[in-house]
mmCIF file of all heavy atoms in Angstrom:
data_model
loop_
_atom_site.group_PDB
_atom_site.id
_atom_site.type_symbol
_atom_site.label_atom_id
_atom_site.label_comp_id
_atom_site.label_asym_id
_atom_site.label_seq_id
_atom_site.Cartn_x
_atom_site.Cartn_y
_atom_site.Cartn_z
ATOM 1 N N ALA A 473 21.522 18.059 -102.374
ATOM 2 C CA ALA A 473 20.478 19.090 -102.481
ATOM 3 C C ALA A 473 19.097 18.454 -102.580
ATOM 4 O O ALA A 473 18.124 18.938 -101.969
ATOM 5 C CB ALA A 473 20.749 19.974 -103.695
ATOM 6 N N GLU A 474 18.997 17.360 -103.336
ATOM 7 C CA GLU A 474 17.689 16.681 -103.474
ATOM 8 C C GLU A 474 17.287 15.999 -102.169
ATOM 9 O O GLU A 474 16.101 15.914 -101.842
ATOM 10 C CB GLU A 474 17.746 15.679 -104.618
ATOM 11 C CG GLU A 474 17.855 16.302 -106.014
ATOM 12 C CD GLU A 474 16.631 17.122 -106.396
ATOM 13 O OE1 GLU A 474 15.538 16.914 -105.806
ATOM 14 O OE2 GLU A 474 16.755 17.998 -107.263
ATOM 15 N N LEU A 475 18.263 15.501 -101.416
ATOM 16 C CA LEU A 475 17.957 14.954 -100.080
ATOM 17 C C LEU A 475 17.368 16.054 -99.203
ATOM 18 O O LEU A 475 16.358 15.849 -98.521
ATOM 19 C CB LEU A 475 19.220 14.381 -99.434
ATOM 20 C CG LEU A 475 19.756 13.066 -99.979
ATOM 21 C CD1 LEU A 475 21.115 12.746 -99.346
ATOM 22 C CD2 LEU A 475 18.791 11.913 -99.717
ATOM 23 N N ASP A 476 18.014 17.232 -99.215
ATOM 24 C CA ASP A 476 17.527 18.356 -98.409
ATOM 25 C C ASP A 476 16.109 18.754 -98.839
ATOM 26 O O ASP A 476 15.234 18.996 -98.003
ATOM 27 C CB ASP A 476 18.470 19.560 -98.556
ATOM 28 C CG ASP A 476 19.830 19.300 -97.941
ATOM 29 O OD1 ASP A 476 19.938 18.415 -97.061
ATOM 30 O OD2 ASP A 476 20.793 19.982 -98.333
ATOM 31 N N LYS A 477 15.893 18.793 -100.161
ATOM 32 C CA LYS A 477 14.592 19.199 -100.686
ATOM 33 C C LYS A 477 13.501 18.208 -100.256
ATOM 34 O O LYS A 477 12.349 18.588 -100.017
ATOM 35 C CB LYS A 477 14.658 19.290 -102.215
ATOM 36 C CG LYS A 477 13.449 19.959 -102.850
ATOM 37 C CD LYS A 477 13.552 19.938 -104.374
ATOM 38 C CE LYS A 477 14.780 20.689 -104.881
ATOM 39 N NZ LYS A 477 14.799 20.728 -106.381
ATOM 40 N N ALA A 478 13.882 16.925 -100.175
ATOM 41 C CA ALA A 478 12.928 15.891 -99.803
ATOM 42 C C ALA A 478 12.765 15.766 -98.286
ATOM 43 O O ALA A 478 11.956 14.960 -97.803
ATOM 44 C CB ALA A 478 13.369 14.536 -100.374
ATOM 45 N N GLY A 479 13.539 16.543 -97.532
ATOM 46 C CA GLY A 479 13.430 16.495 -96.093
ATOM 47 C C GLY A 479 14.122 15.294 -95.467
ATOM 48 O O GLY A 479 13.779 14.888 -94.335
ATOM 49 N N ILE A 480 15.074 14.702 -96.202
ATOM 50 C CA ILE A 480 15.833 13.554 -95.684
ATOM 51 C C ILE A 480 17.142 14.059 -95.098
ATOM 52 O O ILE A 480 18.007 14.583 -95.814
ATOM 53 C CB ILE A 480 16.122 12.527 -96.802
ATOM 54 C CG1 ILE A 480 14.791 11.976 -97.348
ATOM 55 C CG2 ILE A 480 16.993 11.388 -96.273
ATOM 56 C CD1 ILE A 480 14.983 11.045 -98.546
ATOM 57 N N ARG A 481 17.279 13.983 -93.785
ATOM 58 C CA ARG A 481 18.512 14.454 -93.134
ATOM 59 C C ARG A 481 19.657 13.479 -93.418
ATOM 60 O O ARG A 481 19.429 12.292 -93.637
ATOM 61 C CB ARG A 481 18.307 14.573 -91.615
ATOM 62 C CG ARG A 481 17.334 15.658 -91.217
ATOM 63 C CD ARG A 481 17.264 15.821 -89.712
ATOM 64 N NE ARG A 481 16.827 14.590 -89.046
ATOM 65 C CZ ARG A 481 17.601 13.841 -88.261
ATOM 66 N NH1 ARG A 481 18.861 14.166 -88.049
ATOM 67 N NH2 ARG A 481 17.114 12.759 -87.681
ATOM 68 N N TRP A 482 20.889 13.983 -93.403
ATOM 69 C CA TRP A 482 22.045 13.140 -93.689
ATOM 70 C C TRP A 482 23.257 13.621 -92.903
ATOM 71 O O TRP A 482 23.319 14.768 -92.475
ATOM 72 C CB TRP A 482 22.368 13.116 -95.182
ATOM 73 C CG TRP A 482 22.519 14.476 -95.821
ATOM 74 C CD1 TRP A 482 21.527 15.262 -96.360
ATOM 75 C CD2 TRP A 482 23.732 15.236 -95.953
ATOM 76 N NE1 TRP A 482 22.043 16.443 -96.837
ATOM 77 C CE2 TRP A 482 23.392 16.441 -96.600
ATOM 78 C CE3 TRP A 482 25.052 14.994 -95.602
ATOM 79 C CZ2 TRP A 482 24.348 17.433 -96.894
ATOM 80 C CZ3 TRP A 482 26.009 15.963 -95.893
ATOM 81 C CH2 TRP A 482 25.655 17.167 -96.525
ATOM 82 N N GLN A 483 24.196 12.689 -92.692
ATOM 83 C CA GLN A 483 25.465 13.051 -92.073
ATOM 84 C C GLN A 483 26.553 12.181 -92.668
ATOM 85 O O GLN A 483 26.318 11.058 -93.116
ATOM 86 C CB GLN A 483 25.415 12.865 -90.556
ATOM 87 C CG GLN A 483 25.291 11.433 -90.086
ATOM 88 C CD GLN A 483 25.258 11.323 -88.574
ATOM 89 O OE1 GLN A 483 25.028 12.283 -87.863
ATOM 90 N NE2 GLN A 483 25.509 10.116 -88.059
ATOM 91 N N VAL A 484 27.784 12.705 -92.675
ATOM 92 C CA VAL A 484 28.924 11.977 -93.216
ATOM 93 C C VAL A 484 29.484 11.057 -92.138
ATOM 94 O O VAL A 484 29.702 11.468 -90.989
ATOM 95 C CB VAL A 484 30.025 12.950 -93.710
ATOM 96 C CG1 VAL A 484 31.236 12.170 -94.224
ATOM 97 C CG2 VAL A 484 29.463 13.858 -94.808
ATOM 98 N N ILE A 485 29.699 9.784 -92.494
ATOM 99 C CA ILE A 485 30.318 8.824 -91.596
ATOM 100 C C ILE A 485 31.830 8.993 -91.681
ATOM 101 O O ILE A 485 32.392 9.011 -92.799
ATOM 102 C CB ILE A 485 29.932 7.378 -91.977
ATOM 103 C CG1 ILE A 485 28.418 7.179 -91.883
ATOM 104 C CG2 ILE A 485 30.672 6.368 -91.099
ATOM 105 C CD1 ILE A 485 27.852 7.253 -90.491
ATOM 106 N N PRO A 486 32.528 9.120 -90.542
ATOM 107 C CA PRO A 486 33.984 9.293 -90.605
ATOM 108 C C PRO A 486 34.670 8.154 -91.342
ATOM 109 O O PRO A 486 34.259 6.997 -91.268
ATOM 110 C CB PRO A 486 34.394 9.315 -89.120
ATOM 111 C CG PRO A 486 33.146 9.713 -88.385
ATOM 112 C CD PRO A 486 32.001 9.151 -89.182
ATOM 113 N N ALA A 487 35.734 8.480 -92.057
ATOM 114 C CA ALA A 487 36.477 7.484 -92.837
ATOM 115 C C ALA A 487 37.189 6.515 -91.900
ATOM 116 O O ALA A 487 37.604 6.868 -90.796
ATOM 117 C CB ALA A 487 37.481 8.170 -93.750
ATOM 118 N N HIS A 488 37.335 5.262 -92.354
ATOM 119 C CA HIS A 488 38.046 4.273 -91.551
ATOM 120 C C HIS A 488 39.559 4.453 -91.728
ATOM 121 O O HIS A 488 40.032 5.007 -92.716
ATOM 122 C CB HIS A 488 37.629 2.861 -91.923
ATOM 123 C CG HIS A 488 37.585 2.592 -93.387
ATOM 124 N ND1 HIS A 488 38.704 2.538 -94.181
ATOM 125 C CD2 HIS A 488 36.542 2.356 -94.216
ATOM 126 C CE1 HIS A 488 38.351 2.288 -95.424
ATOM 127 N NE2 HIS A 488 37.048 2.176 -95.476
ATOM 128 N N SER A 489 40.304 3.968 -90.755
ATOM 129 C CA SER A 489 41.748 4.193 -90.779
ATOM 130 C C SER A 489 42.542 2.981 -91.234
ATOM 131 O O SER A 489 43.711 3.089 -91.570
ATOM 132 C CB SER A 489 42.223 4.593 -89.376
ATOM 133 O OG SER A 489 41.860 3.607 -88.427
#
Side-chain angles (χ1 to χ4, degrees):
E474 291 296 339
L475 287 172
D476 293 338
K477 191 183 299 184
I480 298 175
R481 293 185 300 112
W482 53 272
Q483 67 180 17
V484 177
I485 299 293
H488 47 69
S489 56

